[in-house]
Amino acid sequence: MLNAGAPPSPDRRRLLKRGFLGGALLLVGGALPLALRSTLVRRVPAQKLALLTADEHAILAAVAARFVPGDGAGAAWPTADALDCAGKVDRLMATTLPGVGAELRQLLHLFESALFGLVLTGSPTPFTRCSPAAQDARLETWRHSRVALLRSGYQALKRLTQATYYSSPEVYALIGYPGPPEVPRGPA
Amino acid sequence: MTDLSPAPGAGRIHAGATLPPMSAVEVDFCVVGSGAGGSIAAATLAQAGARVAIVEEGAHLTKRDFNMQEAWAYPALYQEHGNRSTDDLAIMILQGRAVGGGTTVNWTSSFRTPEATLRLWAERHGVRGIDAAVLEPHFAAVEARLSIGPGNEDDVNRNNRKLWDGAARLGWGPELIRRSVKGCARLGFCGLGCPLDAKQSALVTYVPDAVAAGADVYTDCRVRLVETDRGRARAVVADVLDRSTDRPRGRFVVYARRGIILAGGAINTPALLLRSKAGTGSGVVGKRTFLHPTVPLAAFYDEPIEGFYGAPQSVSVHHFVNRGDDVGYFLETAPTQPMLTAIAFPGAGDAHRRVVERLAHVQATIALLVDGHHDDPGGTLAVDGEGRVRLHYPISPALREAAVHALGSMARLQLAAGARELMTLHESPLTIRTESDISRLADLPFGPNLHTLFSAHQMGGCPMGEDPRTSVVSSRGRHHELENLWIVDGSIFPTSLGVNPQLSIYAHARLFASEIVKDFPPSAPK
């Protein structure tokens, strides 16, 4: 019998430290009173969540709403909620390695953090409770930050939410994409 | 532990879901990975009479599954469900994960290894006995099996036509790309799996060849460790993955009587050795990982381009590959299906939406930087106990210079081809309408997550060469420290290639496998 099979027990602290957002996160995430200002849950998830908590799902849903077409787009454009962007990201990320899913959750908490918002933009309001304009401003701060970790965090959220939205057949016609062609399918 | 060792005869493809919780097989050779390198090596060995098991992390998906929807294909067919990237997310990494490996999602562009690159390896990286003449029979055999014919002008869609026109007007010598297809309908969805089996991927060529010759393929098995014993590799240990959760649900062990052949691709192969702490004595495993870091530039035309349809790549421009002391690059196109395009376009919300709405009018030229030919060190891999791989790949000043130069060349080319306006994919994009705008490119910040970068070509990390201090395997793929372990994937390349690597991986793997067969004549007639 091989002895190589037992997985090395994951050293969680080390994992977090080495995560792409790990170090910065632990410094500011979660511990201080400002961070306790609660997340606004606008909508109950459409399906049972696979990875995220209801709060984390609400943060992701709020982020997704700003990354995809919104106020300026016509009524024909589906919202991020209508396409269940946050739910789809939840189900996708539940299948990644546990450390990757953990990092997404940390990133969402950091993004929501009132303390972090105060330090970054002078506003001590959780992301989910900000006005759309203030949410966009916070996204822009992350996008162009001199801190490389924040730019990474912005890209993680951008790619996950926009990938989910623009790969949805519901938006194909709106962006001038006729969709995949019909192909003849032979017998099995 | 259930012993599933196969009886002699034709092999088959075993889905992970059919394996018991703990099982093992004993074979002559275990091949890790079923992409270009693994499939052809397995076929070569099986045809010589060896008992072969291929262990594949991905699933066995076929044309009936390939629905041309990005939402399905990237999670199903790509490493890390389409989320693989460098550790800082600055370079998105497209890399296949399925039976057929990268060939299942490859865009079909087929090039032989450039002779200048082979010379560089011989002169600077200690590679011996590999030149165009040595590789010739292997390229010829692979080209025949994959139906790689001459470039075909009928393959050129409007996306590629603009690349051709602009390059021709500037005297940059555009060339038609040879493609690995048979009966191609030019649907444009090669990267999502071919729904017609027209693409001659390993999935429909060398994997079936290997199986017909007796090899067994075990899918949904993620190899965690190579077991070694006194300088020999003796087994691989894999987690059997539950397809719905991608979490381990069992264990599968392959004992290899004669040898183990790694073909998990650059990134996964060096990561496996590092995780196993096996054969890493040189200190160079996982270092010098190259990506052909790829810089896109979007051009907008008044007329429809519809780059989401038609052969994804049919034209290339190699005019800037040799830039003397500066890092070179070559130009191709990328298909413009909506998900890939939308995440490449900068910004959010309605500003982003207004660019994506022009999807049908976008022409996408890409510049692939030829990394590793100068002093740029490439990337470095690290692994953790969870199985996670982190690739740290800093953009060196030399690469940044090449990227900015390439943006200027692409801008000139697209304006020469008649584009109305161009948009760089910086987070603060520059709009270019005339030649005079191009000089402003140099003022833009170019760094991690300030500009879209991706990689579809992963190379290096276990370089071949004759010096065990600077290389991991010999010039015939045999590991310097583990005498019965070979590597036959893109990780053996000492630098990037300067062309799309798939055909080079096949040819080098075939060369190496032919040598292995010579050393190990079949033990018994079949």
Side-chain angles (χ1 to χ4, degrees):
Chain A
M1 185 63 203
L2 294 172
N3 59 8
S9 75
D11 179 341
R12 192 163 172 74
R13 282 169 54 91
R14 188 170 55 97
L15 203 68
L16 293 176
K17 251 193 262 176
R18 289 175 55 185
F20 80 90
L21 287 160
L25 267 156
L26 292 178
L27 291 176
V28 290
L32 291 164
L34 275 175
L36 297 176
R37 296 199 178 187
S38 67
T39 293
L40 178 62
V41 180
R42 288 185 185 278
R43 187 174 150 273
V44 180
Q47 289 186 31
K48 187 171 177 295
L49 294 170
L51 171 71
L52 304 177
T53 65
D55 275 10
E56 290 157 357
H57 175 271
I59 301 163
L60 182 58
V63 169
R66 303 318 301 163
F67 270 113
V68 309
D71 329 312
W77 290 80
T79 62
D81 277 349
L83 296 183
D84 192 24
C85 285
K88 286 174 182 161
V89 172
D90 171 66
R91 291 190 286 283
L92 174 71
M93 297 303 285
T95 64
T96 61
L97 291 170
V100 178
E103 280 185 8
L104 173 67
R105 299 178 61 196
Q106 293 163 19
L107 171 60
L108 291 169
H109 284 291
L110 184 60
F111 210 81
E112 173 75 345
S113 158
L115 173 66
F116 205 65
L118 181 64
V119 172
L120 217 55
T121 62
S123 155
T125 309
F127 184 82
T128 52
R129 293 185 180 276
C130 288
S131 69
Q135 289 179 330
D136 288 349
R138 201 170 293 186
L139 281 175
E140 284 296 291
T141 306
W142 281 58
R143 177 186 183 189
H144 297 290
S145 174
R146 300 168 71 95
V147 181
L149 285 171
L150 300 190
R151 299 200 306 272
S152 298
Y154 172 90
Q155 291 297 333
L157 297 174
K158 173 186 189 294
R159 290 174 199 162
L160 287 170
T161 55
Q162 290 182 345
T164 306
Y165 187 86
Y166 286 104
S167 62
S168 299
E170 293 89 335
V171 303
Y172 287 173
L174 295 162
I175 57 175
Y177 175 55
E182 289 292 322
V183 298
R185 296 278 183 174
Chain B
M1 181 78 75
T2 310
D3 185 352
L4 299 178
S5 295
R12 61 188 192 87
I13 297 179
H14 309 256
T18 66
L19 295 174
M22 302 279 278
S23 57
V25 295
E26 185 177 1
V27 292
D28 294 327
F29 290 98
C30 176
V31 178
V32 177
S34 66
S39 66
I40 198 170
T44 305
L45 294 166
Q47 284 160 359
R51 198 77 225 181
V52 176
I54 304 176
V55 185
E56 168 56 54
E57 176 181 350
H60 182 222
L61 298 163
T62 69
K63 66 175 181 178
R64 305 193 65 79
D65 302 296
F66 299 149
N67 62 6
M68 298 180 280
Q69 296 287 355
E70 293 173 289
W72 175 82
Y74 284 99
L77 298 174
Y78 285 79
Q79 294 286 337
E80 301 181 38
H81 305 279
N83 290 318
R84 178 161 278 188
S85 64
T86 51
D87 60 355
D88 60 359
L89 309 190
I91 307 177
M92 293 180 264
I93 297 176
L94 300 175
Q95 192 172 23
R97 179 211 195 219
V99 172
T103 75
T104 298
V105 293
N106 180 272
W107 296 349
T108 78
S109 302
S110 301
F111 294 84
R112 293 189 177 195
T113 320
E115 293 193 30
T117 302
L118 296 175
R119 275 197 302 277
L120 176 74
W121 295 349
E123 289 164 9
R124 299 245 316 258
H125 297 279
V127 174
R128 294 287 172 269
I130 294 187
D131 58 24
V134 167
L135 290 172
E136 163 63 35
H138 302 286
F139 278 123
V142 175
E143 287 161 359
R145 183 69 185 94
L146 302 186
S147 300
I148 299 170
N152 181 351
E153 204 167 326
D154 294 339
D155 283 338
V156 180
N157 66 359
R158 278 172 280 189
N159 199 27
N160 281 272
R161 173 61 63 188
K162 296 298 183 189
L163 175 60
W164 180 280
D165 288 349
R169 276 174 202 149
L170 294 166
W172 292 352
E175 295 164 287
L176 290 172
I177 292 178
R178 300 193 301 153
R179 303 181 60 232
S180 50
V181 293
K182 189 161 76 179
C184 176
R186 304 179 184 117
L187 300 174
F189 294 80
C190 306
L192 311 183
C194 181
L196 300 173
D197 280 352
K199 176 165 67 179
Q200 297 300 289
S201 61
L203 178 64
V204 300
T205 56
Y206 286 110
V207 170
D209 290 356
V211 170
D216 285 281
V217 184
Y218 299 89
T219 72
D220 311 289
C221 289
R222 178 192 280 148
V223 173
R224 194 198 305 151
L225 293 171
V226 174
E227 280 261 314
T228 58
D229 182 23
R230 283 163 292 183
R232 287 181 61 83
R234 57 187 285 265
V236 305
V237 182
D239 287 330
V240 184
L241 302 176
D242 178 316
R243 280 276 293 287
S244 61
T245 62
D246 223 30
R247 295 280 193 270
R249 55 162 281 274
R251 170 132 348 119
F252 180 59
V253 182
V254 182
Y255 296 94
R257 288 184 289 261
R258 294 176 166 199
I260 289 174
I261 295 169
L262 302 185
I267 298 184
N268 289 349
T269 288
L272 175 57
L273 291 178
L274 289 169
R275 206 159 49 232
S276 306
K277 299 184 173 65
T280 56
S282 63
V284 301
V285 173
K287 302 213 168 81
R288 291 184 60 81
T289 299
F290 299 107
L291 297 173
H292 281 160
T294 298
V295 190
L297 183 60
F300 298 93
Y301 285 79
D302 292 339
E303 72 269 28
I305 299 296
E306 298 190 330
F308 34 75
Y309 295 147
Q313 295 186 324
S314 55
V315 174
S316 67
V317 176
H318 286 257
H319 184 73
F320 295 100
V321 163
N322 184 352
R323 297 176 61 229
D325 291 338
D326 294 322
V327 171
Y329 55 88
F330 56 108
L331 307 179
E332 293 178 340
T333 61
T336 59
Q337 277 95 29
M339 188 200 93
L340 201 55
T341 312
I343 61 174
F345 283 169
D350 287 310
H352 177 260
R353 184 256 307 169
R354 281 190 286 275
V355 186
V356 182
E357 277 180 315
R358 300 162 80 185
L359 185 75
H361 295 263
V362 173
Q363 193 275 344
T365 298
I366 54 176
L368 299 92
L369 310 185
V370 183
D371 48 348
H373 286 224
H374 295 75
D375 294 331
D376 54 306
T380 303
L381 279 174
V383 296
D384 66 23
E386 189 189 28
R388 191 159 172 197
V389 181
R390 286 200 172 82
L391 175 61
H392 182 61
Y393 190 108
I395 300 291
S396 66
L399 288 180
R400 189 177 310 130
E401 185 279 337
V404 174
H405 193 278
L407 282 167
S409 299
M410 291 191 286
R412 278 181 198 94
L413 185 149
Q414 288 164 319
L415 289 175
R420 161 78 57 169
E421 67 177 27
L422 319 177
M423 184 184 76
T424 70
L425 304 188
H426 289 84
E427 285 304 325
S428 304
L430 173 68
T431 300
I432 296 171
R433 293 192 181 85
T434 65
E435 178 83 20
S436 63
D437 294 328
I438 294 175
S439 62
R440 293 165 57 205
L441 282 168
D443 303 331
L444 297 176
F446 197 98
N449 295 307
L450 295 170
H451 188 288
T452 295
L453 287 172
F454 72 93
S455 162
H457 303 160
Q458 299 79 35
M459 297 154 284
C462 293
M464 60 176 164
E466 296 307 303
D467 184 345
R469 292 165 304 179
T470 57
S471 59
V472 176
V473 295
S474 76
S475 307
R476 289 298 179 269
R478 188 197 285 262
H479 198 287
H480 289 310
E481 298 161 51
L482 300 164
E483 58 166 347
N484 64 335
L485 185 138
W486 288 262
I487 301 177
V488 299
D489 58 27
S491 67
I492 60 148
F493 298 137
T495 67
S496 78
L497 299 184
V499 294
N500 306 46
Q502 181 187 276
L503 180 56
S504 294
I505 297 169
Y506 274 121
H508 283 80
R510 192 174 185 279
L511 167 67
F512 296 175
S514 331
E515 299 282 328
I516 301 171
V517 166
K518 281 185 207 162
D519 286 354
F520 291 92
S523 52
K526 286 192 71 179

